[in-house]
Amino acid sequence: MNRAARAFWLSSPGAGELRDVTLPEPGEGEVLVRSLYSGVSRGTETLVFRGGVPHSQHAAMRAPFQEGEFPAPVKYGYLNVGTVEEGPSELVGRTVFCLYPHQTRYVVPASAVTVVPDTVPAARAVLAGTVETAVNALWDAAPLIGDRIAVVGGGMVGCSVAALLARFPGVRLQLVDADPGRAQVAEALGCDFAAPEDALGECDLVVHASATEQGLARSLELLRAEGTVVELSWYGDRQVGLPLGEAFHSRRLVIRSSQVGTVSPARGATRGYGDRLALALDLLADPALDALVTGESPFEELPAVLPKLASGEIPALCHRVRYADTP
C-alpha cells in the first residue's frame, strides 16, 4: 500500500502550502483512511488562517489531530470524510467521518472514526462536525414546542441550528442576517428569513451566531422579558461591547454561552461525544442540508482558495474540498 500522502499546512498567518507526508504502518486498532472530501468551516478556520487565535485559547482551540502550534506553522481542520483502506475487517471499505485536517490519506485509531450511515452521501457528511455543534447548542438552549425563536447570523453554524429548529413543531422561526442572499438558504432549510431591522421580536429564545457585537445587541433586543440568548459566536481576540444598561436588568434577560468542546450539561450524564456525533450524522439524511455547502474545489487548490475564503472574495457557508481519488 502506498504510504505517501499530502497535507495542507498553514505556514504563516495568511499563507498555506501542501506538504508531503509519509504515513506509518497502521498498528493494532488503527485505520488507514483515504480522504474523499473535507470541509472548510469558514468562521473557525479562517480565524486560524489569519492567525487570530488568542494565546489564552491555544489549548482550547486545538483540533483533535492538529500538528504544530498556533499561530503557525500548524496543520488544522476537523471535517473529513473518507474510505477505510486498512484496519479492522468491519471497517474496511466503509465511509467514515473523522475530525481530521485536510490531508489525502491518514492513520488514526479506529475509535476516532464514525461510520457514515448509508442514508447520508459522503459529500454531505462533511457537515457532521457543524451539525454536531448545532445539536449541542440545542441541548443547551432546550427549545420548547410553540416557542418564538430567532437565529441571528446565517453562517454555517447558524444555518445548521436553523435547519434543526425547523423540525420543531409549532415554532415561529426566523433566520436573521444582513445578507439578503441568505433568504434562499433559509427557504431551502424550511424557515422564514428577515433582515435584522425587520426581525420579529418577543422571542422566547434567540441563538446568536453572527460573531458581531451588533448581532449580539440585536439578539438582546429581540427577546421577550426573561428570554434567553444562546451565544455560539467565537470572537477570537476581539473585544465585544454589550448594551447591558437600559432594560437589560429590569427585563431579566439571559445570555448563555454554548461551545461544542464539551457535551452540554443537559445531556452530559447520558450522552458522550460519540453519541452526539452519531446523532449529527443521522440528521444529515435530510437533503435540505445540502444548502449549507456553497462551493467546492480540488484539494490541490486549497492554498489559493483559503485566502479568498478568509477575505470574503469567495462567499461561503461550508466550502467543500474534493480529493483526486474521489469517484
Side-chain angles (χ1 to χ4, degrees):
M1 177 66 67
N2 182 5
R3 300 295 173 204
R6 302 194 82 198
F8 175 79
W9 279 74
L10 176 64
S11 51
S12 61
E17 63 184 11
L18 300 183
R19 297 185 181 182
D20 292 331
V21 179
T22 301
L23 301 178
E25 188 82 20
E28 183 73 22
E30 292 186 322
V31 290
L32 171 64
V33 180
R34 172 174 56 85
S35 296
L36 298 173
Y37 299 97
S38 57
V40 178
S41 178
R42 186 172 178 269
T44 303
E45 287 198 57
T46 59
L47 181 75
V48 171
F49 187 76
R50 294 193 301 266
V53 179
H55 187 271
S56 64
Q57 296 300 304
H58 281 192
M61 280 286 292
R62 285 193 69 87
F65 294 99
Q66 174 180 322
E67 294 182 37
E69 302 294 336
F70 300 122
V74 65
K75 183 175 77 174
Y76 191 85
Y78 48 85
L79 302 173
N80 189 291
V81 176
T83 300
V84 176
E85 294 189 319
E86 295 183 40
S89 58
E90 67 272 17
L91 289 176
V92 172
R94 302 298 301 272
T95 301
V96 296
F97 177 85
C98 185
L99 297 168
Y100 203 87
H102 309 283
Q103 186 165 311
T104 57
R105 282 180 169 84
Y106 54 91
V107 174
V108 293
S111 59
V113 302
T114 302
V115 173
V116 175
D118 293 338
T119 55
V120 179
R124 191 186 304 151
V126 295
L127 297 168
T130 308
V131 173
E132 183 183 9
T133 300
V135 167
N136 206 59
L138 294 185
W139 282 348
D140 281 334
L144 298 175
I145 184 171
D147 271 357
R148 294 162 294 186
I149 305 174
V151 177
V152 176
M156 190 176 172
V157 171
C159 284
S160 295
V161 171
L164 300 190
L165 284 169
R167 306 175 183 208
F168 277 65
V171 301
R172 187 196 78 186
L173 174 64
Q174 284 190 317
L175 178 65
V176 180
D177 198 277
D179 179 1
R182 292 288 186 259
Q184 290 182 320
V185 179
E187 182 179 7
L189 298 177
C191 64
D192 292 334
F193 174 83
E197 62 273 17
D198 299 325
L200 298 174
E202 291 299 302
C203 290
D204 303 288
L205 169 67
V206 177
V207 180
H208 178 241
S210 81
T212 67
E213 64 179 50
Q214 295 90 344
L216 184 50
R218 184 60 177 142
S219 296
L220 290 169
E221 292 173 349
L222 295 177
L223 289 176
R224 62 163 173 80
E226 300 188 353
T228 298
V229 170
V230 172
E231 175 60 280
L232 287 179
S233 299
W234 170 246
Y235 297 94
D237 55 2
R238 287 181 291 137
Q239 296 294 314
V240 177
L242 275 181
L244 299 184
E246 300 180 348
F248 178 79
H249 288 284
S250 63
R251 299 182 69 223
R252 300 179 62 85
L253 303 182
V254 176
I255 303 173
R256 180 174 183 180
S257 65
S258 179
Q259 208 273 339
V260 73
T262 57
V263 175
S264 168
R267 292 293 181 273
T270 57
R271 303 289 195 280
Y273 293 99
D275 300 310
R276 191 177 64 184
L277 180 55
L279 173 59
L281 282 164
D282 284 340
L283 292 169
L284 280 165
D286 186 351
L289 288 159
D290 284 331
L292 302 185
V293 179
T294 51
E296 182 177 290
S297 59
F299 169 72
E300 292 75 15
E301 296 180 7
L302 197 50
V305 167
L306 252 173
K308 295 178 181 178
L309 289 170
S311 69
E313 181 180 341
I314 298 178
L317 293 175
C318 177
H319 188 87
R320 188 165 57 209
V321 178
R322 182 181 68 255
Y323 289 79
D325 295 336
T326 303

